Each structure stands twice: as C-alpha cells, then as structure tokens.
Amino acid sequence: LAPSASWASNAVFDDLVRRHSWPEAIEMTARTPAPSRDDKLRKRHRLAVLETALAMTLEQQQPLEALDHAVVALRTQSDFVPAALIAGRIEANRGETRRALSILRKAWRQTHHPDIATLYASSKPGASAVERFKRVRELIETPPADRSSAIVFARAAIDAYEWSMARNALAAYAAKDPTHAMALLMAEIEDGQIADYAKAREWLARA
C-alpha cells in the first residue's frame, strides 16, 4: 500500500524470496525507485541475482526459458558468474558450442573465475583430456596470472599427462604459500611425473 515505506517493502520482498516467488520479486524490484548511483547499482545486482535464481529453477525442465532469463541477468550485470555458467551450460547442452564459448570467454575476461574456465574446457560433450587442456590454454596465459588460473591450468594439464606444464603453472604459487588444492595437485605431479613417492607424501601432508 505504501511502497515508499522501506521497512514494509523489505518485508514483502523477503517473503517473496523465502517462497521462491522469483517473477514477483523481479517485478517488485523493477518497480523500486533507485534515486542514487549506489541505489542503481544495488538494484541492477539484485535483478541479476533474481533472474539467475529463476533461470536455475527452470534449467532442467525448461532450458530455453531458463536461457532467456540467464541472458537477461548477464545484460543487467555482465560479470555475474552464476548466470554465465547457466547460459554456457544450456548452450553447450543444445549443441550451440560457439555461443557457449563466446559467453564463457566474455565472463572469463571479466572475472577469471575457475568455474568459468572449467566449463569452457568441457563445453564440448565427450571431449578428451587433451582437447579439454587445449581449450584451457585458449583462455589462460602461461604463466597463469593468478592462483585460480594456475589451479585450473594445472588440473587440465595433469589430466592430459602434461606434467611439466602443470608443474610450471603452479611453481610460483606453490613455492610461496600453497593452498590445499595446490598441494594436492603437486602431490599428483610428483607421483605421476617422476614417481617420487616421498615428495608426493610430503605434499599430501602439507595439504
């Protein structure tokens, strides 16, 4: 009755979200005024989240409709990873590999999110480990510019038995402060490349 009363609007919105009433929540958010720049940014982010939530509920049963909502989310916030993953997954599943790769490349350039690179590598059903590694190399420069990229690159290289490339990708990061994932990958490399079981056990202990 009084949309300008923020406490009431928030209560209604929270109730819609709790009931997963995504279309109504989207409609309500779209009608909400956003006077300042920060308000506009928050509104755009909220719309991207809601459109993605709706896409998630539709993905299995109505993939084309889900794709439409994921695309709307990306138009609203181009770097929103969950929306890019849904859109890329649906396009890949329907055989539109080029479209899937285009969506994922754009998202990768903005976010460097590891899930984007992983989906990019496996976007062609039935691809071999060598083919997946080739796709990862299309996205990630060597040496990788950040930890997440290094982990994705090394995982794909190990799967393709490119031990030296996997080791080189992790070298700079593993030498300083390796994460749990890096330590596990290094254990695989030591075991697979030169069968150094002592070093592999050492990396497992560090993990």
Side-chain angles (χ1 to χ4, degrees), residues 167-186:
R167 185 185 294 273
N168 292 339
L170 293 174
Y173 305 102
K176 296 177 182 177
D177 186 20
T179 64
H180 173 258
M182 284 182 180
L184 291 177
L185 290 171
M186 286 302 299

Side-chain angles (χ1 to χ4, degrees), residues 24 35-36 47-48 61 64 66 75:
E24 293 86 348
S36 71
L47 284 170
Q61 301 299 324
L64 292 181
R75 287 178 186 154

Side-chain angles (χ1 to χ4, degrees), residues 2-185:
S4 60
S6 59
W7 66 269
S9 295
N10 290 339
V12 172
F13 180 81
D14 290 344
D15 180 61
L16 292 173
V17 170
R18 191 161 43 247
R19 292 188 285 112
H20 293 186
S21 300
W22 308 124
E24 293 86 348
I26 290 168
E27 183 182 354
M28 180 181 180
T29 301
R31 292 199 314 265
T32 303
S36 71
R37 183 175 180 275
D38 286 345
D39 289 335
K40 287 182 174 67
L41 290 174
R42 279 193 290 270
K43 179 177 178 176
R44 290 176 67 85
H45 179 67
R46 177 173 280 189
L47 284 170
V49 171
L50 292 170
E51 291 285 357
T52 303
L54 181 53
M56 288 174 68
T57 64
L58 296 170
E59 184 177 358
Q60 297 301 319
Q61 301 299 324
Q62 298 170 269
L64 292 181
E65 191 173 343
L67 177 61
D68 290 341
H69 288 287
V71 169
V72 169
L74 288 172
R75 287 178 186 154
T76 305
Q77 185 175 327
S78 61
D79 64 347
F80 195 52
V81 169
L85 290 171
I86 291 172
R89 201 160 47 232
I90 293 172
E91 292 287 27
N93 289 340
R94 60 197 292 256
E96 296 289 350
T97 306
R98 287 187 178 182
R99 289 185 184 179
L101 295 180
S102 175
I103 291 168
L104 295 170
R105 268 196 304 270
K106 184 176 180 181
W108 172 260
R109 284 195 293 267
Q110 296 181 81
T111 67
H112 277 209
H113 195 286
D115 289 352
I116 295 290
T118 301
L119 181 57
Y120 187 93
S122 58
S123 57
K124 185 178 178 181
S128 68
V130 173
E131 290 172 324
R132 292 196 300 272
F133 182 47
K134 182 180 178 182
R135 287 201 185 281
V136 166
R137 294 183 70 184
E138 292 173 5
L139 280 188
I140 301 175
E141 299 177 356
T142 49
D146 54 73
R147 287 170 177 260
S148 294
S149 300
I151 290 171
V152 173
F153 188 97
R155 176 71 271 163
I158 289 170
D159 291 343
Y161 299 108
E162 293 287 352
W163 305 109
S164 295
M165 298 188 76
R167 185 185 294 273
N168 292 339
L170 293 174
Y173 305 102
K176 296 177 182 177
D177 186 20
T179 64
H180 173 258
M182 284 182 180
L184 291 177
L185 290 171

